[in-house]
Amino acid sequence: MSDWSPSQHELDRQRVRTRLQRRSALIATAMTLLVFVVLGLIVTSSPGWPNVKAYFFSWPDAKESFPDIWDAIWLNIKMFLIAEFFILIFAMLIAMARVSRSPWLMPLRVVAVIYTDVVRGIPTILLVYLFAFGMPALELQGLPDSPFFWATAALIVSYSAYVAEVFRSGIESVHPSQWASAQALGLTRGQTLRHVIIPQAVRRVVPPLLNDFVSLQKDTALAAVAGVFEAVATARDYTLYNFNFTPYIVVACFFIVMTVPLARLCDWLTARMRRRELAGAR
């Protein structure tokens, strides 16, 4: 067993560091509270605050609209979960088509490139309009005319292009030595991609993927323009009848509660990956 113990000088240094860290934390907390208190006093004492409070922060209107918004927000969540599932599948297929090198798959590569370039150039809200109103107008046999279905399909089409590029960047970030090592072991390019490259790529792109899904979670609100009676449409309906905008604030709070945990998880994963990279560099 080792009999080593820190010297008195080292213990003194540790106590000084601890004291300085506590002092910095207290100062930072106090300054933050002071700034927010001052801002709160400035806002609440301004001449227009009573009108802002009445139209945007009305507690009675918030309580009255809350049950309907609570029921409607689950439609947003359902749309998000369905879209996320298909986006991951389609985006990975598109990314694999783009990184393929087989001459037989050249048509797929061209289609994948055109798809990602064109779709990323179209605003998502425009895709929602095109799908939710344009597709039912065609009256094609076997296709549903549900606004929910087509709004979800528009989100899948839009975000598949973005997520495909995230997957592709992850695949191309894997060091070429991984390809060479797998091929030296007798694996084909397809086997290498499936068993060696993609698992590494997915781990690397988890943070940007979460960022995309934070955006997707918010963009489910675009379904309101297609007549889907989700949370935003419910708030809009209440506002039109009561001329009070508090329900929009309630919906905003719901989306904040849903997206902030994902954002914090993304930050944590990013920091974790950075620590691993620094530890590996050493």
Side-chain angles (χ1 to χ4, degrees), residues 91-92 94-95 98 112-113 115-117 120 159-172 205 209 212:
M92 179 57 74
I94 295 167
R98 290 208 61 177
V113 171
Y115 175 85
T116 53
D117 287 346
R120 287 190 301 163
Y159 274 85
S160 292
Y162 292 99
V163 175
E165 289 299 281
V166 172
F167 279 138
R168 184 174 72 90
S169 65
I171 292 171
E172 293 181 346
V205 301
L209 272 181
D212 281 338

Side-chain angles (χ1 to χ4, degrees), residues 4 43 53 65-66 71 74 80 96 112 132 139 182 195 225 252:
W4 180 88
V43 170
K53 182 179 179 181
S65 61
F66 183 87
D71 292 336
W74 292 104
F80 166 73
M96 291 176 66
E139 298 182 352
H195 297 293
V225 304

Side-chain angles (χ1 to χ4, degrees), residues 203-248:
R203 286 196 297 269
R204 295 185 178 195
V205 301
V206 166
L209 272 181
L210 288 177
N211 275 327
D212 281 338
F213 286 133
V214 168
S215 298
L216 172 64
Q217 206 167 41
K218 294 183 295 183
D219 278 351
T220 57
L222 296 177
V225 304
V228 180
F229 214 70
E230 43 72 70
V232 175
T234 302
R236 180 185 60 197
D237 189 62
Y238 183 95
T239 298
L240 292 174
Y241 278 98
N242 298 277
F243 197 64
N244 189 282
F245 304 98
T246 302
Y248 286 131

Side-chain angles (χ1 to χ4, degrees), residues 83-256:
E84 181 181 13
F85 175 77
F86 286 103
I87 287 167
L88 288 173
I89 296 174
F90 294 152
M92 179 57 74
L93 293 175
I94 295 167
M96 291 176 66
R98 290 208 61 177
V99 300
S100 66
R101 294 295 178 266
S102 172
W104 296 100
L105 298 178
M106 187 63 186
L108 285 180
R109 289 180 60 192
V110 173
V111 170
V113 171
I114 295 174
Y115 175 85
T116 53
D117 287 346
V118 171
V119 171
R120 287 190 301 163
I122 302 175
T124 304
I125 190 170
L126 183 55
L127 286 174
V128 173
Y129 274 116
L130 288 172
F131 276 72
F133 296 112
M135 297 304 293
L138 297 176
E139 298 182 352
L140 298 176
Q141 293 294 327
L143 290 179
D145 57 1
S146 165
F148 176 85
F149 174 86
W150 288 113
T152 305
L155 292 177
I156 293 171
V157 168
S158 179
Y159 274 85
S160 292
Y162 292 99
V163 175
E165 289 299 281
V166 172
F167 279 138
R168 184 174 72 90
S169 65
I171 292 171
E172 293 181 346
S173 70
V174 177
H175 197 274
S177 63
Q178 299 292 313
W179 292 93
S181 300
Q183 290 172 0
L185 293 173
L187 297 180
T188 64
R189 184 175 177 85
Q191 291 172 330
T192 302
L193 193 64
R194 186 175 64 179
H195 297 293
V196 179
I197 304 301
I198 288 180
Q200 297 182 60
V202 169
R203 286 196 297 269
R204 295 185 178 195
V205 301
V206 166
L209 272 181
L210 288 177
N211 275 327
D212 281 338
F213 286 133
V214 168
S215 298
L216 172 64
Q217 206 167 41
K218 294 183 295 183
D219 278 351
T220 57
L222 296 177
V225 304
V228 180
F229 214 70
E230 43 72 70
V232 175
T234 302
R236 180 185 60 197
D237 189 62
Y238 183 95
T239 298
L240 292 174
Y241 278 98
N242 298 277
F243 197 64
N244 189 282
F245 304 98
T246 302
Y248 286 131
I249 304 298
V250 176
V251 175
C253 291
F254 270 112
F255 278 105
I256 289 171

